[in-house]
Amino acid sequence: MGERIAGELAHELELREQAGLRRELEGARPGPVDFSSNDYLGLASDPRLAEAAAQAARDHGAGGRASRLLGGGSPLHRACEREMAAWLGAEDALLFPSGYQANAGLLTSLLQRGDVVFSDRLNHASLIDGARLSRARIQVHDHGDLDELARQLEASRSARRRIVLTEGIFSMDGDRSALAELDELCRRFDAGLIVDEAHSVGLLGPEGAGAWAEAGIEGETSLLARVVTGGKSLGVGGAFVVGSRVLCELLVNRARSFIFTTAPPPALAGALLASIPIVRGAETERRAVLERTSRLASRLDLPRP
């Protein structure tokens, strides 16, 4: 690395240090009481998942070997996709290596120049970056402000395609999205809705099927897709885009973050396959997490989840 560039990088780090924004990996591990990770149900260290991962590696090898379109992965990948789709009551699901890649692949496959994407100000970085990569026009509305969103949708009626992005539970503030109202708004303006369920699947809804399932929206809806990460309540890793069969087929053919990457290791798919039924049946653990969260929020005078 040239001395000039090395000096510039060191200066950028120094500026982050002065602003209190510099982070280091050392010391980032949680202590005996975990207030920092997303392992909501404590499954990341569950021996059942560890054994399922080990068995998958013994049966199918340590690595994914290639992109799934080139024969990478294992039969476990398709099996855990079907389990996820059945759990969330959808036609199909597609496994990506991470939630970031899932959102990037989904949004760049559905959107292009001439489209408009509507994003809550507190949406996760992966939704924001996926929207930017799509080259669609981005309209940001204040957090939870459906009136502002309605005005933006009204002003964008001429767009080829309009998609609204939200989270089931917002990752930083921990509040819930008004999904029934968002669905009604999207149907009124003929827009699609994408819900990132990273922090809600496993905790909310019947059998932990997430915020959309909890909302109980029936009949014709605006829902295009849900994104479910495997590294939070499921305790493993990877992420699923969950939706219609035609959507998943489109992603297999268009999502660059799926096509041009090696398949997740069989161990990950095997552990997810073991985790899904455990999470579906974890009613006692779900209740305990939500009760403790509500108790902590009330003592800190914060909105309850």
Side-chain angles (χ1 to χ4, degrees):
M1 185 187 302
E3 289 186 12
R4 179 180 62 81
I5 295 177
E8 291 171 352
L9 299 182
H11 178 63
E12 289 174 20
L13 281 173
E14 180 59 31
L15 292 177
R16 293 190 71 83
E17 182 83 48
Q18 294 171 9
L21 297 174
R22 185 169 178 172
R23 302 288 181 263
E24 296 180 354
L25 292 176
E26 198 63 37
R29 300 175 184 84
V33 179
D34 184 0
F35 283 103
S36 59
S37 85
N38 301 309
D39 185 22
Y40 300 127
L41 300 176
L43 289 178
S45 57
D46 191 296
R48 293 170 293 180
L49 271 60
E51 176 53 34
Q55 188 62 54
R58 287 191 290 266
D59 292 344
H60 301 285
R65 301 177 298 112
S67 165
R68 286 179 66 188
L69 285 175
L70 295 177
S74 73
L76 300 174
H77 290 66
R78 195 70 192 113
C80 70
E81 290 167 344
R82 292 192 177 107
E83 282 293 311
M84 177 58 67
W87 181 21
L88 267 62
E91 288 183 351
D92 209 348
L94 189 66
L95 177 63
F96 285 75
S98 72
Y100 195 99
Q101 287 171 270
N103 276 327
L106 174 62
L107 296 178
T108 53
S109 296
L110 290 176
L111 294 159
Q112 62 186 39
R113 283 194 176 96
D115 298 335
V116 185
V117 58
F118 305 85
S119 182
D120 189 290
R121 193 171 297 280
L122 294 188
N123 274 339
H124 189 266
S126 59
L127 289 169
I128 294 168
D129 290 355
R132 289 170 175 166
L133 287 169
S134 75
R135 301 182 181 180
R137 183 160 57 90
I138 301 171
Q139 294 282 295
V140 178
H141 56 273
D142 285 338
H143 180 50
D145 191 337
L146 299 188
D147 291 334
E148 183 181 12
L149 174 59
R151 291 192 295 271
Q152 292 173 344
L153 285 163
E154 174 66 41
S156 303
R157 284 187 179 273
S158 62
R160 183 192 76 108
R161 180 174 292 166
R162 292 170 296 169
I163 293 178
V164 174
L165 309 179
T166 192
E167 298 187 51
I169 291 182
F170 285 89
S171 57
M172 298 308 295
D173 283 29
D175 56 340
R176 303 188 192 197
S177 184
L179 292 177
E181 291 85 350
L182 274 172
D183 177 61
E184 190 279 327
L185 199 58
C186 288
R187 284 188 287 112
R188 191 198 322 165
F189 288 100
D190 192 27
L193 178 63
I194 291 173
V195 182
D196 188 316
E197 295 260 30
H199 296 275
S200 47
V201 159
L203 295 179
L204 302 182
E207 295 189 320
W212 181 263
E214 182 187 55
I217 302 168
E218 298 180 349
E220 191 70 25
T221 74
S222 63
L223 185 67
L224 283 175
R226 284 169 282 177
V227 178
V228 179
T229 52
K232 298 177 175 64
S233 289
L234 287 162
V236 186
F240 299 88
V241 173
V242 184
S244 67
R245 190 160 291 111
V246 69
L247 171 68
C248 292
E249 289 179 4
L250 177 74
L251 295 178
V252 167
N253 286 275
R254 291 196 62 182
R256 294 170 69 85
S257 58
F258 176 85
I259 297 167
F260 297 106
T261 192
T262 299
L268 182 140
L272 285 170
L273 192 57
S275 178
I276 291 169
I278 293 172
V279 174
R280 289 185 74 166
E283 292 301 333
T284 300
E285 294 82 355
R286 249 189 294 288
R287 256 193 323 271
V289 171
L290 294 175
E291 287 170 2
R292 290 169 187 157
T293 302
S294 294
R295 193 160 64 245
L296 178 62
S298 66
R299 290 185 181 183
L300 296 175
D301 196 26
L302 296 171
R304 296 191 180 191

